[in-house]
Amino acid sequence: MKTLKTYAILYLVFLYAPIFLLPLFAFNTSTIIAFPLTGFTTEWFTALLDITEMHSALFNSLKIAVTSAVLATIFGIFGAMASTRYHFPGQKGIMGFIMLPLVLPEIIVAVSLLVVILKLGLSTGSWSVIAGHTLICTPFAIAILNSAFAALDPSLEEAAYDLGETRASTFRRVTLPLVMPGIVSALLISFTISMDEFIIAFFLTGADPTLPVYLFSMLRFPKLLPAVMALGTILVVLSILLITIAEIFRRRGAKRAGLKDTGGFL
Amino acid sequence: MMTAGEKLRRFFRTDQGVGLLLVSPTALYALLLLAVPLIAIVVISFLTQTGVRDFAPGLSLVNYKEALSDPLYRELMLRSLMVSGSVTVVTVLLAFPIAYFVSFGVKPEQKSLWIFLITIPFWTSYLIRVFLWKVILGYNGVLNSGLKLVGIIDEPLTFILYNVNAVIITLAHAYAPFAILPIFVALEKIDRSYLEASRDLGESRTMTFLRVTLPLAAPGVVAAVLIVFIPTIGDYVTPKLVGGPGGTMIANMIQTQFLRLNNAPLGATLAVLAMLIVAVIAIVFLIVGYRAAGGGKKGGRG
């Protein structure tokens, strides 16, 4: 086990290497992204304030991510509730198909949506990115919400029915509060996925780029790379923050249901 | 006699009916935005482009002939398969010991922390991570300058950037959690008393691992292989940023056909072919894996 532990720690170093290097270059005075480091500066962070195209890309991404996260979580609630509480004909096939984007390469989702949009004579834009992101976030939302609904004791809902509540009021007053941590976690994860997704946005974004699409175009200009490092540092810190909050909510949900926690979203 | 409408109304009050009704918004969304587009792309792969948005009437196999006979497309497809295959083997082999360590070597209350630590990098910007691999593997990169400083090498290593190796390293990094998690879940499910029984019956540690743990972990390994192999074939960013001219993959060509050459039918054909080949390999792998596992025999018996 001792050698295994050493290996595990080395593996974590491998996993975290890019993220650890990021702030080093973001605060480095040199415009060349390489060692040795030359000095400390916050210039690249202040430079971000002047790139107005980036601001509109950021705003666009936020709009898309919030909408996609809400839609994916709503679809996720329906899907997870149906698959955990009920048995219906064709259940395996239907659920399998809904979860398919989890393994399908994103480029396939992107090009197939693109051809349909063009064939219908529509033009791409934020709406089409939202449509694609909702599709790929829904399986993640379902995976998280499945465990929240599975942990829910059905006798609590039965008690509410017996006390005269309707299906709708039971859902609102009993089910929803109990699965709330799962819902928050699903929202945050979907938001994070959408904020970071590149390929679907690249194909479907039209004239207004999302933040990753804009970032990708920045990578071609060596002059802009230090600013990319600064932006990346901010994004990584925010992602880690969001994911940590999501994890806290997920665990709280598992604890509320009295489940043994095994960790992990997937 | 009940009318059809009444029957339907009754059905939607049964458990089955309510379940079907509940899943319908999500299923409908997947149908409209996934099933329909996937069918559309298959149809378009049989068309030929004549104008910006116009296709020639009638279906033909022209694109398939071109995609299969042109050496460029064939090379890209084979290279993509080779890269996906190598990434899968490397990722799963590197992941297994980690999953084993977290499942068997970590205190139960610390397991979720380890899993959380392993998944965090996955949630951070993919573009930025790939770009940093370029920085790490470059001619004056972190790895080369580090190795030079320690005195292991005199000249920078050049076989690690702008080629297939760089693509494999970067993808192995990106897909690590996808391989670790399913194996970890499978290992967690193993009833620890089987291992004790095996030891009590005189098997060595190694033999217990090979004859009890490994077969019981097989479903997790199979899941890990598929979940890494299938999406990596369609990766666009990694070959574009670190692959160089010799590391381009099929997704880059699909993008070129769609967005640059405005030849959607040929792009669609390449996408369909890539999916078809991956699906066939995945199915063959599943069948072989199933046979090897003794035709689905449950572990611990037989």
Side-chain angles (χ1 to χ4, degrees):
Chain A
M1 273 307 158
K2 222 169 195 171
T3 31
L4 263 183
K5 185 164 192 175
T6 321
Y7 172 73
I9 289 166
L10 283 175
Y11 195 85
L12 280 184
V13 171
F14 165 67
L15 281 182
Y16 280 84
I19 305 177
F20 277 142
L21 289 171
L22 193 55
L24 292 184
F25 295 123
F27 288 109
N28 188 24
T29 46
S30 168
T31 50
I32 301 161
I33 310 298
F35 283 114
L37 300 176
T38 46
F40 180 87
T41 178
T42 54
E43 182 189 341
W44 313 121
F45 286 88
T46 44
L48 287 178
L49 295 172
D50 299 326
I51 309 176
T52 44
E53 298 103 311
M54 196 205 81
H55 301 167
S56 52
L58 172 69
F59 187 70
N60 196 25
S61 268
L62 284 173
K63 192 179 69 185
I64 290 170
V66 169
T67 320
S68 309
V70 171
L71 289 174
T73 306
I74 292 171
F75 285 130
I77 292 172
F78 282 115
M81 215 169 145
S83 78
T84 51
R85 318 305 292 279
Y86 299 93
H87 292 284
F88 48 90
Q91 184 163 6
K92 263 198 169 161
I94 295 173
M95 291 318 293
F97 187 71
I98 292 172
M99 301 303 268
L100 187 63
L102 220 49
V103 287
L104 207 59
E106 279 167 5
I107 193 158
I108 301 290
V109 176
V111 294
S112 56
L113 278 172
L114 181 71
V115 295
V116 171
I117 289 168
L118 294 182
K119 199 72 208 137
L120 292 174
L122 304 168
S123 53
T124 51
S126 302
W127 72 274
S128 47
V129 183
I130 291 171
H133 282 184
T134 304
L135 188 73
I136 60 159
C137 290
T138 301
F140 284 93
I142 290 180
I144 296 163
L145 287 163
N146 265 347
S147 50
F149 276 106
L152 191 66
D153 186 353
S155 61
L156 294 173
E157 287 173 328
E158 276 158 31
Y161 296 143
D162 291 346
L163 293 169
E165 296 282 356
T166 62
R167 262 186 204 280
S169 64
T170 303
F171 179 77
R172 193 166 46 81
R173 298 177 59 177
V174 179
T175 318
L176 208 55
L178 285 170
V179 293
M180 201 36 114
I183 291 176
V184 174
S185 172
L187 278 172
L188 292 174
I189 295 288
S190 304
F191 177 85
T192 314
I193 293 171
S194 172
M195 274 304 275
D196 183 38
E197 200 285 329
F198 170 72
I199 274 290
I200 292 175
F202 186 49
F203 275 84
L204 300 180
T205 195
D208 307 318
T210 63
L211 193 59
V213 174
Y214 182 72
L215 202 113
F216 188 70
S217 70
M218 281 171 92
L219 292 179
R220 273 180 299 157
F221 303 101
K223 201 173 60 128
L224 289 176
L225 288 181
V228 170
M229 295 293 110
L231 178 61
T233 306
I234 296 170
L235 288 179
V236 164
V237 169
L238 285 181
S239 304
I240 293 177
L241 213 65
L242 280 182
I243 293 306
T244 310
I245 296 169
E247 171 73 2
I248 290 168
F249 270 97
R250 197 192 57 81
R251 280 196 199 177
R252 192 181 290 173
K255 209 180 234 170
R256 199 179 280 186
L259 276 186
K260 201 186 85 164
D261 189 29
T262 44
F265 292 111
L266 298 170
Chain B
M1 276 300 276
M2 271 195 293
T3 62
E6 211 171 308
K7 261 189 198 164
L8 209 62
R9 226 170 298 148
R10 281 219 179 159
F11 172 71
F12 282 124
R13 271 192 222 126
T14 62
D15 235 31
Q16 292 201 345
V18 175
L20 211 52
L21 213 58
L22 264 177
V23 83
S24 58
T26 316
L28 222 59
Y29 190 78
L31 189 74
L32 285 177
L33 277 103
L34 189 60
V36 171
L38 286 178
I39 293 167
I41 205 161
V42 173
V43 172
I44 284 176
S45 71
F46 290 106
L47 299 173
T48 38
Q49 189 113 21
T50 52
V52 177
R53 282 190 187 185
D54 304 310
F55 302 112
L59 306 176
S60 79
L61 283 168
V62 174
N63 300 317
Y64 284 90
K65 275 193 196 123
E66 190 179 346
L68 292 171
S69 60
D70 191 320
L72 173 65
Y73 302 140
R74 207 184 307 157
E75 194 194 324
L76 283 178
M77 196 71 87
L78 286 176
R79 186 189 297 150
S80 305
L81 284 170
M82 192 276 285
V83 169
S84 271
S86 316
V87 169
T88 309
V89 171
V90 170
T91 313
V92 172
L93 282 182
L94 288 177
F96 193 93
I98 298 295
Y100 186 86
F101 169 72
V102 178
S103 183
F104 287 87
V106 172
K107 284 190 211 114
E109 62 272 17
Q110 282 177 5
K111 280 182 187 175
S112 58
L113 177 70
W114 269 89
I115 292 296
F116 185 55
L117 280 177
I118 288 165
T119 43
I120 278 184
F122 164 72
W123 296 109
T124 59
S125 173
Y126 181 53
L127 278 178
I128 298 277
R129 268 184 290 147
V130 175
F131 180 76
L132 277 160
W133 276 106
K134 195 169 150 173
V135 174
I136 294 173
L137 301 172
Y139 190 79
N140 285 319
V142 176
L143 195 66
N144 274 330
S145 46
L147 289 177
K148 244 178 22 197
L149 204 70
V150 186
I152 295 178
I153 52 168
D154 297 322
E155 285 298 305
L157 306 171
T158 50
F159 63 91
I160 48 175
L161 187 64
Y162 295 131
N163 57 28
V164 170
N165 297 333
V167 178
I168 294 174
I169 295 171
T170 310
L171 285 174
H173 177 262
Y175 281 86
F178 285 108
I180 295 174
L181 288 178
I183 300 174
F184 170 73
V185 169
L187 289 171
E188 280 293 277
K189 280 190 191 147
I190 296 176
D191 190 337
R192 301 304 197 252
S193 60
Y194 288 169
L195 307 181
E196 278 166 37
S198 165
R199 296 299 305 279
D200 288 348
L201 292 170
E203 293 280 25
S204 69
R205 243 173 227 283
T206 323
M207 285 313 278
T208 302
F209 176 79
L210 289 177
R211 296 184 59 180
V212 182
T213 316
L214 208 53
L216 288 174
V221 175
V222 170
V225 166
L226 293 180
I227 218 167
V228 176
F229 181 70
I230 300 173
T232 42
I233 191 111
D235 195 89
Y236 171 83
V237 175
T238 304
K240 182 89 185 165
L241 288 182
V242 303
T248 359
M249 284 166 64
I250 199 71
N252 305 90
M253 184 47 80
I254 295 173
Q255 187 265 347
T256 308
Q257 294 293 344
F258 270 96
L259 301 185
R260 301 226 164 152
L261 301 177
N262 198 29
N263 192 348
L266 189 56
T269 307
L270 293 174
V272 171
L273 276 177
M275 280 298 88
L276 220 62
I277 294 169
V278 168
V280 168
I281 293 176
I283 290 167
V284 168
F285 176 76
L286 274 176
I287 293 170
V288 170
Y290 189 74
R291 290 255 170 86
K297 202 164 51 186
K298 285 273 179 294
R301 246 180 288 162

